[in-house]
């Protein structure tokens, strides 16, 4: 098959105005507490745009392959969205017990896939005492290898902790491997200690995130572009056209 057509998610004028107001109120560091503690502590306007974009129609577009759920063929807008969430925490885990937990999660994902569950959700945190999953894209690749239909949503990846070019490559490879089943939510996190661990400046996370988003979108075109004063090109291009789903 050819490339699957994706959907470019662009904000409305009202969303852009709300985002500008939020950025003005919060400054570059987005440091005020919005009451959100799910890994995407950003301005209200940005949140309205991100969650407003995530609709049933976009997750189950007419290009979605037909599947059977409870013995009934469903396609496109008729398909319900159901989510199986893994953060894979285990306080006091041993390597053996945590490895068993990871393998059990893959078995659960395969079981869910065979029974019509539409989405596995996973996320990213670092240096947490309860062994919260730090590598959601590696886990996503394992899920794709164990399943045929289910999507994986990384919600959220902590954008400023990633190298933009390597992140673009990793997502492109997963998009190709899965046939377009990866959804990435780009968050900025809410734990300063994670930024300290990777030597990333907490107060600059807003600007770093902006650069990352601009860079991955350019990278997925497969064309040369200017990045930090040098000309670069990222290959391969992803499976999804114009680019993998990014929220």
């Amino acid at each position: 098959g050819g490339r699957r057509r994706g959907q470019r998610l662009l904000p409305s004028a009202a969303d852009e105005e709300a985002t500008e107001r939020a950025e003005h109120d919060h400054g570059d560091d987005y440091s005020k507490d919005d009451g959100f503690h799910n890994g995407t502590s950003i301005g209200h306007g940005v949140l309205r745009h991100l969650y407003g974009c995530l609709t049933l129609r976009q997750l189950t577009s007419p290009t979605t392959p037909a599947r059977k759920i409870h013995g009934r063929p469903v396609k496109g807008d008729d398909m319900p969205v159901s989510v199986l969430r893994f953060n894979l925490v285990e306080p006091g885990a041993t390597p053996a017990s945590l490895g068993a937990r990871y393998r059990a999660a893959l078995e659960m994902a395969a079981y869910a896939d065979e029974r019509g569950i539409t989405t596995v959700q996973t996320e990213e945190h670092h240096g947490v005492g309860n062994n919260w999953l730090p590598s959601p894209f590696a886990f996503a690749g394992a899920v794709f290898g164990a399943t045929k239909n289910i999507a994986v949503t990384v919600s959220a990846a902590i954008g400023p902790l990633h190298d933009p070019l390597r992140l673009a490559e990793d997502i492109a490879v997963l998009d190709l491997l899965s046939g377009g089943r990866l959804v990435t939510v780009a968050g900025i996190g809410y734990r300063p200690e994670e930024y300290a661990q990777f030597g990333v400046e907490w107060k600059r996370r807003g600007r770093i995130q902006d650069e990352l988003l601009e860079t991955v979108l350019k990278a997925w075109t497969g064309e040369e572009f200017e990045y930090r004063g040098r000309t670069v090109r990222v290959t391969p291009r992803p499976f999804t056209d114009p680019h993998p789903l990014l929220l």
Side-chain angles (χ1 to χ4, degrees):
R3 291 177 177 271
R4 180 175 68 85
R5 289 193 60 80
Q7 293 176 299
R8 188 181 298 275
L9 303 181
L10 296 176
S12 67
D15 288 326
E16 290 176 346
E17 182 180 350
T19 299
E20 289 176 1
R21 287 199 303 271
E23 290 173 350
H24 178 270
D25 292 341
H26 288 245
D28 177 49
D29 64 1
Y30 298 106
S31 60
K32 291 185 180 179
D33 182 2
D34 282 321
F36 295 93
H37 298 282
N38 63 353
T40 53
S41 55
I42 54 182
H44 290 300
V46 179
L47 283 164
R48 277 197 295 271
H49 170 52
L50 291 183
Y51 291 103
C53 288
L54 190 61
T55 65
L56 178 62
R57 181 178 297 273
Q58 287 164 329
L59 284 178
T60 59
S61 69
T63 59
T64 303
R67 298 172 60 185
K68 287 187 177 181
I69 297 180
H70 301 305
R72 182 176 69 88
V74 294
K75 187 180 188 309
D77 295 342
D78 293 330
M79 187 183 295
V81 175
S82 45
V83 179
L84 179 64
R85 179 188 176 192
F86 293 110
N87 55 32
L88 299 174
V89 301
E90 184 182 350
T94 65
S97 68
L98 203 55
R101 178 175 294 267
Y102 285 11
R103 291 188 294 273
L106 294 181
E107 293 176 5
M108 292 171 67
Y111 180 90
D113 186 49
E114 292 169 356
R115 285 154 181 81
I117 301 299
T118 62
T119 307
V120 165
Q121 177 186 326
T122 190
E123 50 216 43
E124 172 183 7
H125 280 298
H126 300 274
V128 184
N130 60 10
N131 296 295
W132 203 296
L133 180 70
S135 301
F137 294 106
F139 179 70
V143 171
F144 291 140
T147 60
K148 295 181 179 179
N149 298 299
I150 205 163
V152 176
T153 297
V154 176
S155 177
I158 307 176
L161 304 186
H162 292 266
D163 177 86
L165 300 181
R166 287 300 305 271
L167 182 63
E169 291 174 335
D170 287 345
I171 291 177
V173 169
L174 287 171
D175 192 55
L176 289 161
L177 175 71
S178 67
R181 290 187 279 149
L182 179 68
V183 179
T184 303
V185 178
I188 59 174
Y190 58 93
R191 301 178 66 237
E193 54 268 40
E194 291 180 307
Y195 281 73
Q197 178 167 320
F198 289 95
V200 179
E201 190 175 352
W202 170 254
K203 290 185 177 181
R204 294 192 65 250
R205 65 195 186 279
R207 290 189 185 277
I208 296 170
Q209 180 82 328
D210 288 344
E211 180 196 44
L212 179 134
L213 295 175
E214 293 173 1
T215 300
V216 296
L217 291 174
K218 291 177 182 177
W220 288 330
T221 67
E223 303 295 332
E224 291 185 347
F225 63 98
E226 294 299 311
Y227 174 70
R228 296 181 181 176
R230 61 188 188 273
T231 301
V232 298
R233 181 186 181 196
V234 169
T235 59
R237 290 190 63 194
F239 174 83
T240 304
D241 184 20
H243 59 74
L245 192 56
L246 177 67
L247 302 177

